[in-house]
Amino acid sequence: MNIKTIAVVALAAILVACLVPIAETDAVYSNVDGDPVVGTGDDAEYTITYTNHDYDSYQDLSMAISYDAKLVDSSGETVSNGVSPSSGDLDNGGSATLSVDAPDTAGSYRLIVTYDVEASYTDDEGETVDIPAEDLAKEDTFDIKVVEPITLSVTLTNESGQDLTGYGVYFYVNGERIEDSFTTFDLAKEGSTTVTYDWVTDAGEGAYTFSLQPADDGNMVTISGLGEEYTFYIGDSSYTMWVALLVIVIILLALVIIWVYRKPVKNYGKPKSRR
């Protein structure tokens, strides 16, 4: 065997060695998919999936997959009735949908799904062999942030001189359209209505702008309030509380200064001369 042949064989061996871990990694797959941010008291759906192809080549392979799911809070305590269904069965490569009932208290939560798998096959001698359960079990975690929704509200007045039916609008925040905020309304001429939307977001503290815009850019009817921008704050960025406290402190200091200034000076007379 010459040097070139040896090099080719060695390269082929290296490629095979590199491919083997990739094949094993792709053979077992599990996942939780859904919205990482949910409003307090809302229901949200999550899809779980488990796939195991490690033993597809085994004779008479039999595999039964079950799962248990729970929602825990930041301290690790299980939230009562947080997940439905909390247990069930899956086909290999199949999926199931879980409904999470978000608590009324905002905070960080975690959806934990544990997969238990029982599998067996027939060996060359015709005997049934059970695969160790610990080789098949798997656990997935999915972090969920539960937040208080922010209510966006705009009052509209119809100045178009005509009745409006099924007029469609979207809310925009910082110039970006919120896709699931689409709504329609009916509005008589010279009538008014208020359109609201609960914005579920994990946006950071600060100042934000929002507006209500027509879904159809070509609709040129005149509606007061439509297209106008409004400002709101998340957190204490408006400094309203600090300004109020500062005003109170200034008023108290002013009262103290006035009291000290107007306090009468007591005259205790001339000091006695020394004897």
Side-chain angles (χ1 to χ4, degrees), residues 132-210:
E134 57 270 19
D135 294 343
L136 304 168
K138 196 169 178 60
E139 181 178 277
D140 282 334
T141 61
F142 189 89
D143 292 330
I144 300 173
K145 188 70 174 292
V146 177
V147 299
E148 291 282 354
I150 298 171
T151 300
L152 308 179
S153 179
V154 176
T155 298
L156 304 175
T157 301
N158 185 1
E159 299 177 352
S160 66
Q162 57 181 314
D163 294 336
L164 300 177
T165 303
Y167 194 89
V169 291
Y170 282 99
F171 274 92
Y172 284 68
V173 174
N174 285 358
E176 295 185 7
R177 188 169 77 180
I178 304 176
E179 294 300 332
D180 66 351
S181 68
F182 176 76
T183 187
T184 61
F185 60 86
D186 298 334
L187 189 56
K189 58 183 179 181
E190 299 182 359
S192 296
T193 188
T194 299
V195 181
T196 61
Y197 171 72
D198 287 336
W199 185 39
V200 176
T201 181
D202 192 23
E205 294 186 352
Y208 294 81
T209 61
F210 76 94

Side-chain angles (χ1 to χ4, degrees), residues 7 14 18 55 59 106 124 147 164 168 190 192 198 233-235 250 260 265 274:
I14 292 173
C18 293
Y55 307 93
Q59 182 179 350
D124 295 337
V147 299
L164 300 177
E190 299 182 359
S192 296
D198 287 336
Y233 298 87
I234 297 178
I250 292 174
V260 171
V265 179
R274 294 182 180 178

Side-chain angles (χ1 to χ4, degrees), residues 23-46:
E24 289 180 353
T25 301
D26 291 341
V28 180
Y29 172 81
S30 64
N31 186 54
V32 178
D33 185 45
D35 197 336
V37 183
V38 183
T40 53
D42 289 345
D43 292 331
E45 291 188 345
Y46 296 84

